Amino acid sequence: SLSLRSGQTQTLTFTVPNPAQAGGLLLDLTTDIPESVIMPEVLIPAGQTTVTVNVQGGRPGSGSLFLKGYSDSELVVPVSVQ
């Protein structure tokens, strides 16, 4: 889970099982609280298996981040911003 205050920044690291192909690997990451979670697109560089991005808390709210495409179901990360 991820818990933030408005304006607070925290790092998140994403890891995939295989190195990203040429051009990198754009992760299919969405949220149901876009005004609460401020973050860039997540691109794993070519040849790498991890990337770390900064996530900032926006408006107070609670919801989830959704990562699709790496298992039979999506990965869900609960998020709260105070």
Side-chain angles (χ1 to χ4, degrees), residues 40-81:
E41 289 186 332
V42 180
L43 178 69
I44 297 179
Q48 303 297 312
T49 57
T50 63
V51 67
T52 300
V53 296
N54 288 326
V55 178
Q56 183 177 5
R59 291 185 179 175
S62 60
S64 299
L65 292 176
F66 304 98
L67 178 61
K68 300 175 186 173
Y70 289 96
S71 66
D72 292 338
S73 61
E74 64 188 2
L75 173 66
V76 179
V77 178
V79 178
S80 67
V81 177

PDB file of all heavy atoms in Angstrom, residues 40-81:
ATOM      1  N   PRO A  40       4.701  10.320 -13.116  1.00  0.00           N
ATOM      2  CA  PRO A  40       4.965  10.259 -14.553  1.00  0.00           C
ATOM      3  C   PRO A  40       4.581   8.902 -15.118  1.00  0.00           C
ATOM      4  O   PRO A  40       4.264   7.965 -14.381  1.00  0.00           O
ATOM      5  CB  PRO A  40       6.484  10.445 -14.615  1.00  0.00           C
ATOM      6  CG  PRO A  40       6.969   9.813 -13.354  1.00  0.00           C
ATOM      7  CD  PRO A  40       5.907  10.146 -12.321  1.00  0.00           C
ATOM      8  N   GLU A  41       4.629   8.803 -16.456  1.00  0.00           N
ATOM      9  CA  GLU A  41       4.533   7.478 -17.073  1.00  0.00           C
ATOM     10  C   GLU A  41       5.712   6.653 -16.582  1.00  0.00           C
ATOM     11  O   GLU A  41       6.774   7.195 -16.288  1.00  0.00           O
ATOM     12  CB  GLU A  41       4.599   7.583 -18.593  1.00  0.00           C
ATOM     13  CG  GLU A  41       3.378   8.179 -19.233  1.00  0.00           C
ATOM     14  CD  GLU A  41       3.455   8.125 -20.746  1.00  0.00           C
ATOM     15  OE1 GLU A  41       4.560   8.145 -21.311  1.00  0.00           O
ATOM     16  OE2 GLU A  41       2.393   8.073 -21.356  1.00  0.00           O
ATOM     17  N   VAL A  42       5.494   5.349 -16.485  1.00  0.00           N
ATOM     18  CA  VAL A  42       6.542   4.468 -15.974  1.00  0.00           C
ATOM     19  C   VAL A  42       7.136   3.691 -17.145  1.00  0.00           C
ATOM     20  O   VAL A  42       6.479   2.833 -17.729  1.00  0.00           O
ATOM     21  CB  VAL A  42       5.990   3.521 -14.890  1.00  0.00           C
ATOM     22  CG1 VAL A  42       7.082   2.612 -14.376  1.00  0.00           C
ATOM     23  CG2 VAL A  42       5.370   4.321 -13.749  1.00  0.00           C
ATOM     24  N   LEU A  43       8.389   4.018 -17.483  1.00  0.00           N
ATOM     25  CA  LEU A  43       9.095   3.390 -18.599  1.00  0.00           C
ATOM     26  C   LEU A  43      10.351   2.722 -18.068  1.00  0.00           C
ATOM     27  O   LEU A  43      11.237   3.393 -17.519  1.00  0.00           O
ATOM     28  CB  LEU A  43       9.468   4.430 -19.656  1.00  0.00           C
ATOM     29  CG  LEU A  43      10.249   3.909 -20.857  1.00  0.00           C
ATOM     30  CD1 LEU A  43       9.369   3.018 -21.733  1.00  0.00           C
ATOM     31  CD2 LEU A  43      10.803   5.060 -21.666  1.00  0.00           C
ATOM     32  N   ILE A  44      10.432   1.410 -18.210  1.00  0.00           N
ATOM     33  CA  ILE A  44      11.644   0.686 -17.823  1.00  0.00           C
ATOM     34  C   ILE A  44      12.609   0.776 -18.998  1.00  0.00           C
ATOM     35  O   ILE A  44      12.265   0.400 -20.117  1.00  0.00           O
ATOM     36  CB  ILE A  44      11.334  -0.777 -17.466  1.00  0.00           C
ATOM     37  CG1 ILE A  44      10.397  -0.807 -16.252  1.00  0.00           C
ATOM     38  CG2 ILE A  44      12.617  -1.556 -17.194  1.00  0.00           C
ATOM     39  CD1 ILE A  44       9.976  -2.174 -15.797  1.00  0.00           C
ATOM     40  N   PRO A  45      13.823   1.313 -18.760  1.00  0.00           N
ATOM     41  CA  PRO A  45      14.787   1.485 -19.856  1.00  0.00           C
ATOM     42  C   PRO A  45      15.192   0.156 -20.497  1.00  0.00           C
ATOM     43  O   PRO A  45      15.201  -0.894 -19.836  1.00  0.00           O
ATOM     44  CB  PRO A  45      15.992   2.137 -19.174  1.00  0.00           C
ATOM     45  CG  PRO A  45      15.455   2.730 -17.916  1.00  0.00           C
ATOM     46  CD  PRO A  45      14.333   1.824 -17.491  1.00  0.00           C
ATOM     47  N   ALA A  46      15.543   0.210 -21.774  1.00  0.00           N
ATOM     48  CA  ALA A  46      15.984  -0.974 -22.517  1.00  0.00           C
ATOM     49  C   ALA A  46      17.097  -1.691 -21.761  1.00  0.00           C
ATOM     50  O   ALA A  46      18.023  -1.065 -21.256  1.00  0.00           O
ATOM     51  CB  ALA A  46      16.474  -0.576 -23.903  1.00  0.00           C
ATOM     52  N   GLY A  47      16.978  -3.002 -21.666  1.00  0.00           N
ATOM     53  CA  GLY A  47      17.989  -3.832 -21.020  1.00  0.00           C
ATOM     54  C   GLY A  47      17.897  -3.883 -19.506  1.00  0.00           C
ATOM     55  O   GLY A  47      18.626  -4.631 -18.867  1.00  0.00           O
ATOM     56  N   GLN A  48      17.000  -3.108 -18.918  1.00  0.00           N
ATOM     57  CA  GLN A  48      16.860  -3.067 -17.463  1.00  0.00           C
ATOM     58  C   GLN A  48      15.627  -3.853 -17.011  1.00  0.00           C
ATOM     59  O   GLN A  48      14.719  -4.107 -17.799  1.00  0.00           O
ATOM     60  CB  GLN A  48      16.734  -1.622 -16.980  1.00  0.00           C
ATOM     61  CG  GLN A  48      17.883  -0.733 -17.383  1.00  0.00           C
ATOM     62  CD  GLN A  48      19.191  -1.180 -16.779  1.00  0.00           C
ATOM     63  OE1 GLN A  48      19.283  -1.446 -15.583  1.00  0.00           O
ATOM     64  NE2 GLN A  48      20.207  -1.294 -17.615  1.00  0.00           N
ATOM     65  N   THR A  49      15.587  -4.197 -15.718  1.00  0.00           N
ATOM     66  CA  THR A  49      14.421  -4.876 -15.152  1.00  0.00           C
ATOM     67  C   THR A  49      13.720  -4.030 -14.099  1.00  0.00           C
ATOM     68  O   THR A  49      12.666  -4.414 -13.615  1.00  0.00           O
ATOM     69  CB  THR A  49      14.813  -6.222 -14.515  1.00  0.00           C
ATOM     70  OG1 THR A  49      15.804  -5.980 -13.514  1.00  0.00           O
ATOM     71  CG2 THR A  49      15.334  -7.201 -15.566  1.00  0.00           C
ATOM     72  N   THR A  50      14.302  -2.885 -13.724  1.00  0.00           N
ATOM     73  CA  THR A  50      13.669  -2.042 -12.718  1.00  0.00           C
ATOM     74  C   THR A  50      13.709  -0.576 -13.109  1.00  0.00           C
ATOM     75  O   THR A  50      14.559  -0.149 -13.895  1.00  0.00           O
ATOM     76  CB  THR A  50      14.350  -2.167 -11.335  1.00  0.00           C
ATOM     77  OG1 THR A  50      15.691  -1.709 -11.440  1.00  0.00           O
ATOM     78  CG2 THR A  50      14.321  -3.586 -10.818  1.00  0.00           C
ATOM     79  N   VAL A  51      12.797   0.182 -12.526  1.00  0.00           N
ATOM     80  CA  VAL A  51      12.795   1.638 -12.647  1.00  0.00           C
ATOM     81  C   VAL A  51      12.183   2.191 -11.361  1.00  0.00           C
ATOM     82  O   VAL A  51      11.289   1.581 -10.771  1.00  0.00           O
ATOM     83  CB  VAL A  51      12.018   2.118 -13.893  1.00  0.00           C
ATOM     84  CG1 VAL A  51      10.540   1.822 -13.782  1.00  0.00           C
ATOM     85  CG2 VAL A  51      12.254   3.597 -14.138  1.00  0.00           C
ATOM     86  N   THR A  52      12.691   3.333 -10.930  1.00  0.00           N
ATOM     87  CA  THR A  52      12.168   4.008  -9.748  1.00  0.00           C
ATOM     88  C   THR A  52      11.621   5.363 -10.180  1.00  0.00           C
ATOM     89  O   THR A  52      12.278   6.092 -10.919  1.00  0.00           O
ATOM     90  CB  THR A  52      13.270   4.186  -8.687  1.00  0.00           C
ATOM     91  OG1 THR A  52      13.756   2.883  -8.307  1.00  0.00           O
ATOM     92  CG2 THR A  52      12.741   4.895  -7.456  1.00  0.00           C
ATOM     93  N   VAL A  53      10.393   5.666  -9.743  1.00  0.00           N
ATOM     94  CA  VAL A  53       9.756   6.936 -10.083  1.00  0.00           C
ATOM     95  C   VAL A  53       9.286   7.627  -8.801  1.00  0.00           C
ATOM     96  O   VAL A  53       9.067   6.979  -7.778  1.00  0.00           O
ATOM     97  CB  VAL A  53       8.555   6.759 -11.043  1.00  0.00           C
ATOM     98  CG1 VAL A  53       8.994   6.198 -12.377  1.00  0.00           C
ATOM     99  CG2 VAL A  53       7.482   5.895 -10.422  1.00  0.00           C
ATOM    100  N   ASN A  54       9.128   8.944  -8.879  1.00  0.00           N
ATOM    101  CA  ASN A  54       8.582   9.717  -7.766  1.00  0.00           C
ATOM    102  C   ASN A  54       7.076   9.818  -7.913  1.00  0.00           C
ATOM    103  O   ASN A  54       6.565  10.102  -8.993  1.00  0.00           O
ATOM    104  CB  ASN A  54       9.180  11.122  -7.738  1.00  0.00           C
ATOM    105  CG  ASN A  54      10.620  11.113  -7.300  1.00  0.00           C
ATOM    106  OD1 ASN A  54      11.024  10.310  -6.468  1.00  0.00           O
ATOM    107  ND2 ASN A  54      11.407  12.004  -7.854  1.00  0.00           N
ATOM    108  N   VAL A  55       6.378   9.599  -6.814  1.00  0.00           N
ATOM    109  CA  VAL A  55       4.928   9.731  -6.753  1.00  0.00           C
ATOM    110  C   VAL A  55       4.631  10.838  -5.745  1.00  0.00           C
ATOM    111  O   VAL A  55       5.185  10.841  -4.647  1.00  0.00           O
ATOM    112  CB  VAL A  55       4.261   8.415  -6.300  1.00  0.00           C
ATOM    113  CG1 VAL A  55       2.763   8.583  -6.188  1.00  0.00           C
ATOM    114  CG2 VAL A  55       4.612   7.297  -7.247  1.00  0.00           C
ATOM    115  N   GLN A  56       3.761  11.764  -6.114  1.00  0.00           N
ATOM    116  CA  GLN A  56       3.429  12.871  -5.224  1.00  0.00           C
ATOM    117  C   GLN A  56       1.948  12.827  -4.870  1.00  0.00           C
ATOM    118  O   GLN A  56       1.109  12.520  -5.717  1.00  0.00           O
ATOM    119  CB  GLN A  56       3.754  14.206  -5.892  1.00  0.00           C
ATOM    120  CG  GLN A  56       3.495  15.399  -4.998  1.00  0.00           C
ATOM    121  CD  GLN A  56       3.889  16.709  -5.660  1.00  0.00           C
ATOM    122  OE1 GLN A  56       4.267  16.750  -6.823  1.00  0.00           O
ATOM    123  NE2 GLN A  56       3.780  17.785  -4.910  1.00  0.00           N
ATOM    124  N   GLY A  57       1.657  13.150  -3.631  1.00  0.00           N
ATOM    125  CA  GLY A  57       0.272  13.231  -3.185  1.00  0.00           C
ATOM    126  C   GLY A  57      -0.366  14.519  -3.661  1.00  0.00           C
ATOM    127  O   GLY A  57       0.216  15.588  -3.530  1.00  0.00           O
ATOM    128  N   GLY A  58      -1.545  14.418  -4.232  1.00  0.00           N
ATOM    129  CA  GLY A  58      -2.299  15.579  -4.685  1.00  0.00           C
ATOM    130  C   GLY A  58      -3.443  15.866  -3.718  1.00  0.00           C
ATOM    131  O   GLY A  58      -3.224  16.002  -2.522  1.00  0.00           O
ATOM    132  N   ARG A  59      -4.662  15.880  -4.240  1.00  0.00           N
ATOM    133  CA  ARG A  59      -5.837  16.104  -3.399  1.00  0.00           C
ATOM    134  C   ARG A  59      -6.066  14.906  -2.479  1.00  0.00           C
ATOM    135  O   ARG A  59      -5.816  13.767  -2.874  1.00  0.00           O
ATOM    136  CB  ARG A  59      -7.080  16.299  -4.258  1.00  0.00           C
ATOM    137  CG  ARG A  59      -7.083  17.578  -5.025  1.00  0.00           C
ATOM    138  CD  ARG A  59      -8.392  17.736  -5.734  1.00  0.00           C
ATOM    139  NE  ARG A  59      -8.408  19.001  -6.479  1.00  0.00           N
ATOM    140  CZ  ARG A  59      -9.371  19.359  -7.265  1.00  0.00           C
ATOM    141  NH1 ARG A  59     -10.411  18.573  -7.455  1.00  0.00           N
ATOM    142  NH2 ARG A  59      -9.317  20.513  -7.887  1.00  0.00           N
ATOM    143  N   PRO A  60      -6.599  15.136  -1.277  1.00  0.00           N
ATOM    144  CA  PRO A  60      -6.926  14.009  -0.394  1.00  0.00           C
ATOM    145  C   PRO A  60      -7.913  13.054  -1.073  1.00  0.00           C
ATOM    146  O   PRO A  60      -8.812  13.489  -1.791  1.00  0.00           O
ATOM    147  CB  PRO A  60      -7.561  14.683   0.825  1.00  0.00           C
ATOM    148  CG  PRO A  60      -6.957  16.060   0.843  1.00  0.00           C
ATOM    149  CD  PRO A  60      -6.828  16.431  -0.626  1.00  0.00           C
ATOM    150  N   GLY A  61      -7.685  11.778  -0.866  1.00  0.00           N
ATOM    151  CA  GLY A  61      -8.563  10.764  -1.430  1.00  0.00           C
ATOM    152  C   GLY A  61      -8.004   9.379  -1.188  1.00  0.00           C
ATOM    153  O   GLY A  61      -6.879   9.226  -0.703  1.00  0.00           O
ATOM    154  N   SER A  62      -8.780   8.370  -1.511  1.00  0.00           N
ATOM    155  CA  SER A  62      -8.303   6.992  -1.401  1.00  0.00           C
ATOM    156  C   SER A  62      -8.789   6.209  -2.609  1.00  0.00           C
ATOM    157  O   SER A  62      -9.858   6.475  -3.153  1.00  0.00           O
ATOM    158  CB  SER A  62      -8.765   6.337  -0.094  1.00  0.00           C
ATOM    159  OG  SER A  62     -10.164   6.303  -0.029  1.00  0.00           O
ATOM    160  N   GLY A  63      -7.961   5.277  -3.030  1.00  0.00           N
ATOM    161  CA  GLY A  63      -8.261   4.466  -4.202  1.00  0.00           C
ATOM    162  C   GLY A  63      -7.142   3.482  -4.425  1.00  0.00           C
ATOM    163  O   GLY A  63      -6.576   2.959  -3.473  1.00  0.00           O
ATOM    164  N   SER A  64      -6.773   3.274  -5.699  1.00  0.00           N
ATOM    165  CA  SER A  64      -5.766   2.269  -6.020  1.00  0.00           C
ATOM    166  C   SER A  64      -4.964   2.642  -7.251  1.00  0.00           C
ATOM    167  O   SER A  64      -5.417   3.431  -8.086  1.00  0.00           O
ATOM    168  CB  SER A  64      -6.439   0.916  -6.283  1.00  0.00           C
ATOM    169  OG  SER A  64      -7.142   0.471  -5.149  1.00  0.00           O
ATOM    170  N   LEU A  65      -3.783   2.052  -7.350  1.00  0.00           N
ATOM    171  CA  LEU A  65      -3.013   2.011  -8.589  1.00  0.00           C
ATOM    172  C   LEU A  65      -3.257   0.635  -9.185  1.00  0.00           C
ATOM    173  O   LEU A  65      -3.332  -0.357  -8.459  1.00  0.00           O
ATOM    174  CB  LEU A  65      -1.512   2.169  -8.321  1.00  0.00           C
ATOM    175  CG  LEU A  65      -1.018   3.510  -7.810  1.00  0.00           C
ATOM    176  CD1 LEU A  65       0.468   3.424  -7.515  1.00  0.00           C
ATOM    177  CD2 LEU A  65      -1.288   4.609  -8.815  1.00  0.00           C
ATOM    178  N   PHE A  66      -3.357   0.553 -10.515  1.00  0.00           N
ATOM    179  CA  PHE A  66      -3.619  -0.708 -11.200  1.00  0.00           C
ATOM    180  C   PHE A  66      -2.519  -0.955 -12.231  1.00  0.00           C
ATOM    181  O   PHE A  66      -2.305  -0.117 -13.108  1.00  0.00           O
ATOM    182  CB  PHE A  66      -4.974  -0.656 -11.914  1.00  0.00           C
ATOM    183  CG  PHE A  66      -6.114  -0.316 -11.000  1.00  0.00           C
ATOM    184  CD1 PHE A  66      -6.591   0.988 -10.921  1.00  0.00           C
ATOM    185  CD2 PHE A  66      -6.705  -1.291 -10.228  1.00  0.00           C
ATOM    186  CE1 PHE A  66      -7.646   1.319 -10.080  1.00  0.00           C
ATOM    187  CE2 PHE A  66      -7.770  -0.974  -9.378  1.00  0.00           C
ATOM    188  CZ  PHE A  66      -8.231   0.330  -9.304  1.00  0.00           C
ATOM    189  N   LEU A  67      -1.835  -2.075 -12.116  1.00  0.00           N
ATOM    190  CA  LEU A  67      -0.804  -2.469 -13.079  1.00  0.00           C
ATOM    191  C   LEU A  67      -1.326  -3.676 -13.840  1.00  0.00           C
ATOM    192  O   LEU A  67      -1.607  -4.721 -13.251  1.00  0.00           O
ATOM    193  CB  LEU A  67       0.509  -2.802 -12.372  1.00  0.00           C
ATOM    194  CG  LEU A  67       1.650  -3.275 -13.257  1.00  0.00           C
ATOM    195  CD1 LEU A  67       2.035  -2.210 -14.282  1.00  0.00           C
ATOM    196  CD2 LEU A  67       2.850  -3.659 -12.413  1.00  0.00           C
ATOM    197  N   LYS A  68      -1.447  -3.525 -15.164  1.00  0.00           N
ATOM    198  CA  LYS A  68      -1.996  -4.593 -16.006  1.00  0.00           C
ATOM    199  C   LYS A  68      -0.914  -5.199 -16.880  1.00  0.00           C
ATOM    200  O   LYS A  68       0.062  -4.546 -17.223  1.00  0.00           O
ATOM    201  CB  LYS A  68      -3.109  -4.041 -16.902  1.00  0.00           C
ATOM    202  CG  LYS A  68      -4.254  -3.450 -16.149  1.00  0.00           C
ATOM    203  CD  LYS A  68      -5.259  -2.828 -17.081  1.00  0.00           C
ATOM    204  CE  LYS A  68      -6.333  -2.106 -16.280  1.00  0.00           C
ATOM    205  NZ  LYS A  68      -7.236  -1.354 -17.123  1.00  0.00           N
ATOM    206  N   GLY A  69      -1.114  -6.481 -17.250  1.00  0.00           N
ATOM    207  CA  GLY A  69      -0.266  -7.110 -18.242  1.00  0.00           C
ATOM    208  C   GLY A  69       0.824  -8.027 -17.729  1.00  0.00           C
ATOM    209  O   GLY A  69       1.615  -8.537 -18.519  1.00  0.00           O
ATOM    210  N   TYR A  70       0.892  -8.273 -16.418  1.00  0.00           N
ATOM    211  CA  TYR A  70       1.981  -9.113 -15.912  1.00  0.00           C
ATOM    212  C   TYR A  70       1.519 -10.367 -15.203  1.00  0.00           C
ATOM    213  O   TYR A  70       2.314 -11.085 -14.627  1.00  0.00           O
ATOM    214  CB  TYR A  70       2.910  -8.288 -15.009  1.00  0.00           C
ATOM    215  CG  TYR A  70       3.684  -7.339 -15.864  1.00  0.00           C
ATOM    216  CD1 TYR A  70       3.270  -6.041 -16.035  1.00  0.00           C
ATOM    217  CD2 TYR A  70       4.772  -7.791 -16.583  1.00  0.00           C
ATOM    218  CE1 TYR A  70       3.936  -5.191 -16.880  1.00  0.00           C
ATOM    219  CE2 TYR A  70       5.439  -6.948 -17.432  1.00  0.00           C
ATOM    220  CZ  TYR A  70       5.017  -5.643 -17.568  1.00  0.00           C
ATOM    221  OH  TYR A  70       5.675  -4.814 -18.418  1.00  0.00           O
ATOM    222  N   SER A  71       0.243 -10.645 -15.227  1.00  0.00           N
ATOM    223  CA  SER A  71      -0.291 -11.891 -14.688  1.00  0.00           C
ATOM    224  C   SER A  71      -1.694 -12.052 -15.257  1.00  0.00           C
ATOM    225  O   SER A  71      -2.147 -11.235 -16.046  1.00  0.00           O
ATOM    226  CB  SER A  71      -0.317 -11.851 -13.151  1.00  0.00           C
ATOM    227  OG  SER A  71      -1.222 -10.886 -12.685  1.00  0.00           O
ATOM    228  N   ASP A  72      -2.378 -13.091 -14.816  1.00  0.00           N
ATOM    229  CA  ASP A  72      -3.739 -13.306 -15.290  1.00  0.00           C
ATOM    230  C   ASP A  72      -4.691 -12.216 -14.809  1.00  0.00           C
ATOM    231  O   ASP A  72      -5.738 -11.981 -15.400  1.00  0.00           O
ATOM    232  CB  ASP A  72      -4.252 -14.672 -14.832  1.00  0.00           C
ATOM    233  CG  ASP A  72      -3.505 -15.811 -15.517  1.00  0.00           C
ATOM    234  OD1 ASP A  72      -2.921 -15.586 -16.600  1.00  0.00           O
ATOM    235  OD2 ASP A  72      -3.505 -16.919 -14.958  1.00  0.00           O
ATOM    236  N   SER A  73      -4.342 -11.565 -13.725  1.00  0.00           N
ATOM    237  CA  SER A  73      -5.162 -10.463 -13.219  1.00  0.00           C
ATOM    238  C   SER A  73      -4.270  -9.250 -12.995  1.00  0.00           C
ATOM    239  O   SER A  73      -3.049  -9.349 -12.985  1.00  0.00           O
ATOM    240  CB  SER A  73      -5.841 -10.872 -11.910  1.00  0.00           C
ATOM    241  OG  SER A  73      -4.869 -11.183 -10.939  1.00  0.00           O
ATOM    242  N   GLU A  74      -4.879  -8.083 -12.811  1.00  0.00           N
ATOM    243  CA  GLU A  74      -4.079  -6.885 -12.599  1.00  0.00           C
ATOM    244  C   GLU A  74      -3.572  -6.830 -11.158  1.00  0.00           C
ATOM    245  O   GLU A  74      -4.190  -7.370 -10.249  1.00  0.00           O
ATOM    246  CB  GLU A  74      -4.880  -5.638 -12.942  1.00  0.00           C
ATOM    247  CG  GLU A  74      -6.085  -5.396 -12.080  1.00  0.00           C
ATOM    248  CD  GLU A  74      -6.941  -4.248 -12.606  1.00  0.00           C
ATOM    249  OE1 GLU A  74      -6.635  -3.654 -13.641  1.00  0.00           O
ATOM    250  OE2 GLU A  74      -7.952  -3.966 -11.950  1.00  0.00           O
ATOM    251  N   LEU A  75      -2.444  -6.176 -10.982  1.00  0.00           N
ATOM    252  CA  LEU A  75      -1.882  -5.934  -9.665  1.00  0.00           C
ATOM    253  C   LEU A  75      -2.525  -4.657  -9.137  1.00  0.00           C
ATOM    254  O   LEU A  75      -2.566  -3.645  -9.840  1.00  0.00           O
ATOM    255  CB  LEU A  75      -0.366  -5.767  -9.761  1.00  0.00           C
ATOM    256  CG  LEU A  75       0.357  -5.352  -8.492  1.00  0.00           C
ATOM    257  CD1 LEU A  75       0.269  -6.458  -7.457  1.00  0.00           C
ATOM    258  CD2 LEU A  75       1.811  -5.044  -8.805  1.00  0.00           C
ATOM    259  N   VAL A  76      -3.041  -4.688  -7.905  1.00  0.00           N
ATOM    260  CA  VAL A  76      -3.733  -3.543  -7.317  1.00  0.00           C
ATOM    261  C   VAL A  76      -2.970  -3.098  -6.071  1.00  0.00           C
ATOM    262  O   VAL A  76      -2.711  -3.902  -5.177  1.00  0.00           O
ATOM    263  CB  VAL A  76      -5.190  -3.891  -6.968  1.00  0.00           C
ATOM    264  CG1 VAL A  76      -5.897  -2.704  -6.334  1.00  0.00           C
ATOM    265  CG2 VAL A  76      -5.946  -4.382  -8.191  1.00  0.00           C
ATOM    266  N   VAL A  77      -2.612  -1.807  -6.035  1.00  0.00           N
ATOM    267  CA  VAL A  77      -1.922  -1.229  -4.886  1.00  0.00           C
ATOM    268  C   VAL A  77      -2.829  -0.186  -4.258  1.00  0.00           C
ATOM    269  O   VAL A  77      -3.137   0.836  -4.889  1.00  0.00           O
ATOM    270  CB  VAL A  77      -0.589  -0.569  -5.313  1.00  0.00           C
ATOM    271  CG1 VAL A  77       0.110   0.074  -4.129  1.00  0.00           C
ATOM    272  CG2 VAL A  77       0.320  -1.566  -6.008  1.00  0.00           C
ATOM    273  N   PRO A  78      -3.304  -0.421  -3.013  1.00  0.00           N
ATOM    274  CA  PRO A  78      -4.141   0.572  -2.348  1.00  0.00           C
ATOM    275  C   PRO A  78      -3.355   1.859  -2.090  1.00  0.00           C
ATOM    276  O   PRO A  78      -2.173   1.821  -1.724  1.00  0.00           O
ATOM    277  CB  PRO A  78      -4.511  -0.094  -1.021  1.00  0.00           C
ATOM    278  CG  PRO A  78      -4.277  -1.558  -1.246  1.00  0.00           C
ATOM    279  CD  PRO A  78      -3.151  -1.641  -2.213  1.00  0.00           C
ATOM    280  N   VAL A  79      -4.023   3.015  -2.293  1.00  0.00           N
ATOM    281  CA  VAL A  79      -3.395   4.321  -2.113  1.00  0.00           C
ATOM    282  C   VAL A  79      -4.313   5.207  -1.283  1.00  0.00           C
ATOM    283  O   VAL A  79      -5.525   5.225  -1.508  1.00  0.00           O
ATOM    284  CB  VAL A  79      -3.151   5.020  -3.470  1.00  0.00           C
ATOM    285  CG1 VAL A  79      -2.543   6.394  -3.269  1.00  0.00           C
ATOM    286  CG2 VAL A  79      -2.265   4.179  -4.370  1.00  0.00           C
ATOM    287  N   SER A  80      -3.717   5.932  -0.339  1.00  0.00           N
ATOM    288  CA  SER A  80      -4.480   6.953   0.379  1.00  0.00           C
ATOM    289  C   SER A  80      -3.648   8.223   0.453  1.00  0.00           C
ATOM    290  O   SER A  80      -2.427   8.168   0.635  1.00  0.00           O
ATOM    291  CB  SER A  80      -4.885   6.482   1.778  1.00  0.00           C
ATOM    292  OG  SER A  80      -3.744   6.329   2.590  1.00  0.00           O
ATOM    293  N   VAL A  81      -4.316   9.354   0.260  1.00  0.00           N
ATOM    294  CA  VAL A  81      -3.670  10.665   0.333  1.00  0.00           C
ATOM    295  C   VAL A  81      -4.471  11.494   1.336  1.00  0.00           C
ATOM    296  O   VAL A  81      -5.686  11.607   1.210  1.00  0.00           O
ATOM    297  CB  VAL A  81      -3.632  11.371  -1.036  1.00  0.00           C
ATOM    298  CG1 VAL A  81      -3.012  12.746  -0.898  1.00  0.00           C
ATOM    299  CG2 VAL A  81      -2.875  10.534  -2.051  1.00  0.00           C
TER     300      VAL A  81
END
